[in-house]
mmCIF file with all atom_site columns, all heavy atoms in Angstrom:
data_model
loop_
_atom_site.group_PDB
_atom_site.id
_atom_site.type_symbol
_atom_site.label_atom_id
_atom_site.label_alt_id
_atom_site.label_comp_id
_atom_site.label_asym_id
_atom_site.label_entity_id
_atom_site.label_seq_id
_atom_site.pdbx_PDB_ins_code
_atom_site.Cartn_x
_atom_site.Cartn_y
_atom_site.Cartn_z
_atom_site.occupancy
_atom_site.B_iso_or_equiv
_atom_site.pdbx_formal_charge
_atom_site.auth_seq_id
_atom_site.auth_comp_id
_atom_site.auth_asym_id
_atom_site.auth_atom_id
_atom_site.pdbx_PDB_model_num
ATOM 1   N N   . SER A 1 60 ? -89.035 4.701   -25.130 1.00 0.00 ? 89  SER A N   1
ATOM 2   C CA  . SER A 1 60 ? -89.272 4.628   -23.693 1.00 0.00 ? 89  SER A CA  1
ATOM 3   C C   . SER A 1 60 ? -88.119 4.819   -22.801 1.00 0.00 ? 89  SER A C   1
ATOM 4   O O   . SER A 1 60 ? -88.170 5.243   -21.700 1.00 0.00 ? 89  SER A O   1
ATOM 5   C CB  . SER A 1 60 ? -89.983 3.235   -23.382 1.00 0.00 ? 89  SER A CB  1
ATOM 6   O OG  . SER A 1 60 ? -89.091 2.151   -23.613 1.00 0.00 ? 89  SER A OG  1
ATOM 7   N N   . ILE A 1 61 ? -86.960 4.481   -23.364 1.00 0.00 ? 90  ILE A N   1
ATOM 8   C CA  . ILE A 1 61 ? -85.670 4.594   -22.531 1.00 0.00 ? 90  ILE A CA  1
ATOM 9   C C   . ILE A 1 61 ? -85.118 5.992   -22.602 1.00 0.00 ? 90  ILE A C   1
ATOM 10  O O   . ILE A 1 61 ? -84.731 6.585   -21.624 1.00 0.00 ? 90  ILE A O   1
ATOM 11  C CB  . ILE A 1 61 ? -84.654 3.477   -22.916 1.00 0.00 ? 90  ILE A CB  1
ATOM 12  C CG1 . ILE A 1 61 ? -85.185 2.152   -22.586 1.00 0.00 ? 90  ILE A CG1 1
ATOM 13  C CG2 . ILE A 1 61 ? -83.319 3.715   -22.200 1.00 0.00 ? 90  ILE A CG2 1
ATOM 14  C CD1 . ILE A 1 61 ? -84.403 0.970   -23.124 1.00 0.00 ? 90  ILE A CD1 1
ATOM 15  N N   . ASN A 1 62 ? -84.898 6.457   -23.881 1.00 0.00 ? 91  ASN A N   1
ATOM 16  C CA  . ASN A 1 62 ? -84.265 7.728   -24.010 1.00 0.00 ? 91  ASN A CA  1
ATOM 17  C C   . ASN A 1 62 ? -84.950 8.745   -24.942 1.00 0.00 ? 91  ASN A C   1
ATOM 18  O O   . ASN A 1 62 ? -84.292 9.534   -25.537 1.00 0.00 ? 91  ASN A O   1
ATOM 19  C CB  . ASN A 1 62 ? -82.786 7.548   -24.438 1.00 0.00 ? 91  ASN A CB  1
ATOM 20  C CG  . ASN A 1 62 ? -82.724 7.004   -25.854 1.00 0.00 ? 91  ASN A CG  1
ATOM 21  O OD1 . ASN A 1 62 ? -83.808 6.675   -26.420 1.00 0.00 ? 91  ASN A OD1 1
ATOM 22  N ND2 . ASN A 1 62 ? -81.529 6.923   -26.445 1.00 0.00 ? 91  ASN A ND2 1
ATOM 23  N N   . LYS A 1 63 ? -86.206 8.716   -24.846 1.00 0.00 ? 92  LYS A N   1
ATOM 24  C CA  . LYS A 1 63 ? -86.981 9.706   -25.670 1.00 0.00 ? 92  LYS A CA  1
ATOM 25  C C   . LYS A 1 63 ? -86.782 9.769   -27.114 1.00 0.00 ? 92  LYS A C   1
ATOM 26  O O   . LYS A 1 63 ? -86.878 10.798  -27.710 1.00 0.00 ? 92  LYS A O   1
ATOM 27  C CB  . LYS A 1 63 ? -86.994 11.026  -24.976 1.00 0.00 ? 92  LYS A CB  1
ATOM 28  C CG  . LYS A 1 63 ? -87.429 11.046  -23.544 1.00 0.00 ? 92  LYS A CG  1
ATOM 29  C CD  . LYS A 1 63 ? -86.943 12.261  -22.797 1.00 0.00 ? 92  LYS A CD  1
ATOM 30  C CE  . LYS A 1 63 ? -87.308 12.149  -21.336 1.00 0.00 ? 92  LYS A CE  1
ATOM 31  N NZ  . LYS A 1 63 ? -86.708 11.075  -20.640 1.00 0.00 ? 92  LYS A NZ  1
ATOM 32  N N   . GLY A 1 64 ? -86.390 8.588   -27.707 1.00 0.00 ? 93  GLY A N   1
ATOM 33  C CA  . GLY A 1 64 ? -86.254 8.577   -29.116 1.00 0.00 ? 93  GLY A CA  1
ATOM 34  C C   . GLY A 1 64 ? -85.013 8.947   -29.771 1.00 0.00 ? 93  GLY A C   1
ATOM 35  O O   . GLY A 1 64 ? -84.799 9.024   -30.965 1.00 0.00 ? 93  GLY A O   1
ATOM 36  N N   . ILE A 1 65 ? -83.994 9.250   -28.933 1.00 0.00 ? 94  ILE A N   1
ATOM 37  C CA  . ILE A 1 65 ? -82.688 9.674   -29.454 1.00 0.00 ? 94  ILE A CA  1
ATOM 38  C C   . ILE A 1 65 ? -82.040 8.446   -29.996 1.00 0.00 ? 94  ILE A C   1
ATOM 39  O O   . ILE A 1 65 ? -81.762 7.501   -29.278 1.00 0.00 ? 94  ILE A O   1
ATOM 40  C CB  . ILE A 1 65 ? -81.809 10.425  -28.424 1.00 0.00 ? 94  ILE A CB  1
ATOM 41  C CG1 . ILE A 1 65 ? -82.496 11.576  -27.939 1.00 0.00 ? 94  ILE A CG1 1
ATOM 42  C CG2 . ILE A 1 65 ? -80.503 10.626  -28.949 1.00 0.00 ? 94  ILE A CG2 1
ATOM 43  C CD1 . ILE A 1 65 ? -81.806 12.233  -26.691 1.00 0.00 ? 94  ILE A CD1 1
ATOM 44  N N   . PHE A 1 66 ? -81.729 8.392   -31.268 1.00 0.00 ? 95  PHE A N   1
ATOM 45  C CA  . PHE A 1 66 ? -81.137 7.239   -31.886 1.00 0.00 ? 95  PHE A CA  1
ATOM 46  C C   . PHE A 1 66 ? -79.744 7.462   -32.433 1.00 0.00 ? 95  PHE A C   1
ATOM 47  O O   . PHE A 1 66 ? -79.576 8.592   -33.071 1.00 0.00 ? 95  PHE A O   1
ATOM 48  C CB  . PHE A 1 66 ? -82.073 6.736   -33.051 1.00 0.00 ? 95  PHE A CB  1
ATOM 49  C CG  . PHE A 1 66 ? -81.617 5.451   -33.679 1.00 0.00 ? 95  PHE A CG  1
ATOM 50  C CD1 . PHE A 1 66 ? -81.735 4.264   -32.975 1.00 0.00 ? 95  PHE A CD1 1
ATOM 51  C CD2 . PHE A 1 66 ? -80.943 5.496   -34.923 1.00 0.00 ? 95  PHE A CD2 1
ATOM 52  C CE1 . PHE A 1 66 ? -81.356 3.070   -33.631 1.00 0.00 ? 95  PHE A CE1 1
ATOM 53  C CE2 . PHE A 1 66 ? -80.562 4.385   -35.511 1.00 0.00 ? 95  PHE A CE2 1
ATOM 54  C CZ  . PHE A 1 66 ? -80.668 3.207   -34.884 1.00 0.00 ? 95  PHE A CZ  1
ATOM 55  N N   . HIS A 1 67 ? -78.799 6.642   -32.131 1.00 0.00 ? 96  HIS A N   1
ATOM 56  C CA  . HIS A 1 67 ? -77.446 6.823   -32.738 1.00 0.00 ? 96  HIS A CA  1
ATOM 57  C C   . HIS A 1 67 ? -77.181 5.527   -33.518 1.00 0.00 ? 96  HIS A C   1
ATOM 58  O O   . HIS A 1 67 ? -77.775 4.445   -33.357 1.00 0.00 ? 96  HIS A O   1
ATOM 59  C CB  . HIS A 1 67 ? -76.352 6.927   -31.638 1.00 0.00 ? 96  HIS A CB  1
ATOM 60  C CG  . HIS A 1 67 ? -76.581 8.124   -30.798 1.00 0.00 ? 96  HIS A CG  1
ATOM 61  N ND1 . HIS A 1 67 ? -76.117 9.375   -31.278 1.00 0.00 ? 96  HIS A ND1 1
ATOM 62  C CD2 . HIS A 1 67 ? -77.076 8.358   -29.569 1.00 0.00 ? 96  HIS A CD2 1
ATOM 63  C CE1 . HIS A 1 67 ? -76.389 10.299  -30.355 1.00 0.00 ? 96  HIS A CE1 1
ATOM 64  N NE2 . HIS A 1 67 ? -76.949 9.711   -29.329 1.00 0.00 ? 96  HIS A NE2 1
ATOM 65  N N   . ILE A 1 68 ? -76.306 5.660   -34.488 1.00 0.00 ? 97  ILE A N   1
ATOM 66  C CA  . ILE A 1 68 ? -75.998 4.548   -35.357 1.00 0.00 ? 97  ILE A CA  1
ATOM 67  C C   . ILE A 1 68 ? -75.253 3.399   -34.717 1.00 0.00 ? 97  ILE A C   1
ATOM 68  O O   . ILE A 1 68 ? -75.497 2.291   -35.071 1.00 0.00 ? 97  ILE A O   1
ATOM 69  C CB  . ILE A 1 68 ? -75.102 5.061   -36.597 1.00 0.00 ? 97  ILE A CB  1
ATOM 70  C CG1 . ILE A 1 68 ? -75.015 4.045   -37.728 1.00 0.00 ? 97  ILE A CG1 1
ATOM 71  C CG2 . ILE A 1 68 ? -73.702 5.448   -36.154 1.00 0.00 ? 97  ILE A CG2 1
ATOM 72  C CD1 . ILE A 1 68 ? -76.335 3.849   -38.416 1.00 0.00 ? 97  ILE A CD1 1
ATOM 73  N N   . TYR A 1 69 ? -74.623 3.650   -33.602 1.00 0.00 ? 98  TYR A N   1
ATOM 74  C CA  . TYR A 1 69 ? -73.980 2.563   -32.915 1.00 0.00 ? 98  TYR A CA  1
ATOM 75  C C   . TYR A 1 69 ? -75.035 1.700   -32.153 1.00 0.00 ? 98  TYR A C   1
ATOM 76  O O   . TYR A 1 69 ? -74.631 0.538   -31.788 1.00 0.00 ? 98  TYR A O   1
ATOM 77  C CB  . TYR A 1 69 ? -72.844 3.048   -31.981 1.00 0.00 ? 98  TYR A CB  1
ATOM 78  C CG  . TYR A 1 69 ? -73.178 4.146   -31.016 1.00 0.00 ? 98  TYR A CG  1
ATOM 79  C CD1 . TYR A 1 69 ? -73.836 3.861   -29.799 1.00 0.00 ? 98  TYR A CD1 1
ATOM 80  C CD2 . TYR A 1 69 ? -72.899 5.481   -31.253 1.00 0.00 ? 98  TYR A CD2 1
ATOM 81  C CE1 . TYR A 1 69 ? -74.078 4.889   -28.875 1.00 0.00 ? 98  TYR A CE1 1
ATOM 82  C CE2 . TYR A 1 69 ? -73.200 6.441   -30.346 1.00 0.00 ? 98  TYR A CE2 1
ATOM 83  C CZ  . TYR A 1 69 ? -73.716 6.138   -29.234 1.00 0.00 ? 98  TYR A CZ  1
ATOM 84  O OH  . TYR A 1 69 ? -74.040 7.190   -28.336 1.00 0.00 ? 98  TYR A OH  1
ATOM 85  N N   . PHE A 1 70 ? -76.155 2.094   -31.987 1.00 0.00 ? 99  PHE A N   1
ATOM 86  C CA  . PHE A 1 70 ? -77.259 1.298   -31.467 1.00 0.00 ? 99  PHE A CA  1
ATOM 87  C C   . PHE A 1 70 ? -77.559 0.277   -32.466 1.00 0.00 ? 99  PHE A C   1
ATOM 88  O O   . PHE A 1 70 ? -77.667 -0.981  -32.187 1.00 0.00 ? 99  PHE A O   1
ATOM 89  C CB  . PHE A 1 70 ? -78.541 2.068   -31.053 1.00 0.00 ? 99  PHE A CB  1
ATOM 90  C CG  . PHE A 1 70 ? -78.350 3.068   -30.022 1.00 0.00 ? 99  PHE A CG  1
ATOM 91  C CD1 . PHE A 1 70 ? -79.204 4.129   -29.935 1.00 0.00 ? 99  PHE A CD1 1
ATOM 92  C CD2 . PHE A 1 70 ? -77.309 3.031   -29.052 1.00 0.00 ? 99  PHE A CD2 1
ATOM 93  C CE1 . PHE A 1 70 ? -79.118 5.075   -29.051 1.00 0.00 ? 99  PHE A CE1 1
ATOM 94  C CE2 . PHE A 1 70 ? -77.175 3.944   -28.171 1.00 0.00 ? 99  PHE A CE2 1
ATOM 95  C CZ  . PHE A 1 70 ? -78.088 5.012   -28.055 1.00 0.00 ? 99  PHE A CZ  1
ATOM 96  N N   . LEU A 1 71 ? -77.666 0.701   -33.669 1.00 0.00 ? 100 LEU A N   1
ATOM 97  C CA  . LEU A 1 71 ? -77.959 -0.344  -34.843 1.00 0.00 ? 100 LEU A CA  1
ATOM 98  C C   . LEU A 1 71 ? -76.732 -1.254  -35.057 1.00 0.00 ? 100 LEU A C   1
ATOM 99  O O   . LEU A 1 71 ? -76.928 -2.425  -35.317 1.00 0.00 ? 100 LEU A O   1
ATOM 100 C CB  . LEU A 1 71 ? -78.234 0.491   -36.078 1.00 0.00 ? 100 LEU A CB  1
ATOM 101 C CG  . LEU A 1 71 ? -78.783 -0.291  -37.313 1.00 0.00 ? 100 LEU A CG  1
ATOM 102 C CD1 . LEU A 1 71 ? -80.144 -0.924  -36.917 1.00 0.00 ? 100 LEU A CD1 1
ATOM 103 C CD2 . LEU A 1 71 ? -79.018 0.688   -38.446 1.00 0.00 ? 100 LEU A CD2 1
ATOM 104 N N   . LEU A 1 72 ? -75.519 -0.715  -34.992 1.00 0.00 ? 101 LEU A N   1
ATOM 105 C CA  . LEU A 1 72 ? -74.315 -1.514  -35.129 1.00 0.00 ? 101 LEU A CA  1
ATOM 106 C C   . LEU A 1 72 ? -74.267 -2.547  -34.009 1.00 0.00 ? 101 LEU A C   1
ATOM 107 O O   . LEU A 1 72 ? -73.832 -3.700  -34.254 1.00 0.00 ? 101 LEU A O   1
ATOM 108 C CB  . LEU A 1 72 ? -73.084 -0.669  -35.139 1.00 0.00 ? 101 LEU A CB  1
ATOM 109 C CG  . LEU A 1 72 ? -72.894 0.233   -36.325 1.00 0.00 ? 101 LEU A CG  1
ATOM 110 C CD1 . LEU A 1 72 ? -71.717 1.108   -36.216 1.00 0.00 ? 101 LEU A CD1 1
ATOM 111 C CD2 . LEU A 1 72 ? -72.799 -0.591  -37.573 1.00 0.00 ? 101 LEU A CD2 1
ATOM 112 N N   . SER A 1 73 ? -74.627 -2.169  -32.778 1.00 0.00 ? 102 SER A N   1
ATOM 113 C CA  . SER A 1 73 ? -74.652 -3.081  -31.653 1.00 0.00 ? 102 SER A CA  1
ATOM 114 C C   . SER A 1 73 ? -75.708 -4.280  -31.865 1.00 0.00 ? 102 SER A C   1
ATOM 115 O O   . SER A 1 73 ? -75.373 -5.351  -31.650 1.00 0.00 ? 102 SER A O   1
ATOM 116 C CB  . SER A 1 73 ? -74.907 -2.378  -30.370 1.00 0.00 ? 102 SER A CB  1
ATOM 117 O OG  . SER A 1 73 ? -75.027 -3.218  -29.328 1.00 0.00 ? 102 SER A OG  1
ATOM 118 N N   . MET A 1 74 ? -76.847 -3.872  -32.436 1.00 0.00 ? 103 MET A N   1
ATOM 119 C CA  . MET A 1 74 ? -77.852 -4.904  -32.725 1.00 0.00 ? 103 MET A CA  1
ATOM 120 C C   . MET A 1 74 ? -77.366 -5.811  -33.827 1.00 0.00 ? 103 MET A C   1
ATOM 121 O O   . MET A 1 74 ? -77.534 -7.004  -33.801 1.00 0.00 ? 103 MET A O   1
ATOM 122 C CB  . MET A 1 74 ? -79.148 -4.221  -33.200 1.00 0.00 ? 103 MET A CB  1
ATOM 123 C CG  . MET A 1 74 ? -80.310 -5.225  -33.400 1.00 0.00 ? 103 MET A CG  1
ATOM 124 S SD  . MET A 1 74 ? -81.929 -4.549  -33.518 1.00 0.00 ? 103 MET A SD  1
ATOM 125 C CE  . MET A 1 74 ? -81.803 -3.189  -34.482 1.00 0.00 ? 103 MET A CE  1
ATOM 126 N N   . PHE A 1 75 ? -76.620 -5.290  -34.839 1.00 0.00 ? 104 PHE A N   1
ATOM 127 C CA  . PHE A 1 75 ? -76.104 -6.101  -35.884 1.00 0.00 ? 104 PHE A CA  1
ATOM 128 C C   . PHE A 1 75 ? -75.040 -7.032  -35.333 1.00 0.00 ? 104 PHE A C   1
ATOM 129 O O   . PHE A 1 75 ? -74.971 -8.219  -35.758 1.00 0.00 ? 104 PHE A O   1
ATOM 130 C CB  . PHE A 1 75 ? -75.535 -5.250  -37.031 1.00 0.00 ? 104 PHE A CB  1
ATOM 131 C CG  . PHE A 1 75 ? -74.991 -5.888  -38.233 1.00 0.00 ? 104 PHE A CG  1
ATOM 132 C CD1 . PHE A 1 75 ? -75.879 -6.579  -38.945 1.00 0.00 ? 104 PHE A CD1 1
ATOM 133 C CD2 . PHE A 1 75 ? -73.610 -5.932  -38.466 1.00 0.00 ? 104 PHE A CD2 1
ATOM 134 C CE1 . PHE A 1 75 ? -75.395 -7.296  -40.163 1.00 0.00 ? 104 PHE A CE1 1
ATOM 135 C CE2 . PHE A 1 75 ? -73.110 -6.627  -39.566 1.00 0.00 ? 104 PHE A CE2 1
ATOM 136 C CZ  . PHE A 1 75 ? -74.029 -7.293  -40.441 1.00 0.00 ? 104 PHE A CZ  1
ATOM 137 N N   . LEU A 1 76 ? -74.204 -6.575  -34.455 1.00 0.00 ? 105 LEU A N   1
ATOM 138 C CA  . LEU A 1 76 ? -73.162 -7.448  -33.825 1.00 0.00 ? 105 LEU A CA  1
ATOM 139 C C   . LEU A 1 76 ? -73.820 -8.602  -32.998 1.00 0.00 ? 105 LEU A C   1
ATOM 140 O O   . LEU A 1 76 ? -73.302 -9.742  -33.009 1.00 0.00 ? 105 LEU A O   1
ATOM 141 C CB  . LEU A 1 76 ? -72.225 -6.643  -32.913 1.00 0.00 ? 105 LEU A CB  1
ATOM 142 C CG  . LEU A 1 76 ? -71.242 -5.838  -33.655 1.00 0.00 ? 105 LEU A CG  1
ATOM 143 C CD1 . LEU A 1 76 ? -70.388 -4.972  -32.573 1.00 0.00 ? 105 LEU A CD1 1
ATOM 144 C CD2 . LEU A 1 76 ? -70.216 -6.727  -34.401 1.00 0.00 ? 105 LEU A CD2 1
ATOM 145 N N   . GLY A 1 77 ? -74.913 -8.296  -32.296 1.00 0.00 ? 106 GLY A N   1
ATOM 146 C CA  . GLY A 1 77 ? -75.691 -9.346  -31.627 1.00 0.00 ? 106 GLY A CA  1
ATOM 147 C C   . GLY A 1 77 ? -76.228 -10.354 -32.584 1.00 0.00 ? 106 GLY A C   1
ATOM 148 O O   . GLY A 1 77 ? -76.242 -11.530 -32.300 1.00 0.00 ? 106 GLY A O   1
#
Side-chain angles (χ1 to χ4, degrees):
S89 65
I90 294 172
N91 67 350
K92 297 164 189 62
I94 299 171
F95 183 77
H96 295 284
I97 192 70
Y98 51 84
F99 299 157
L100 190 60
L101 292 174
S102 177
M103 187 169 36
F104 184 67
L105 283 175

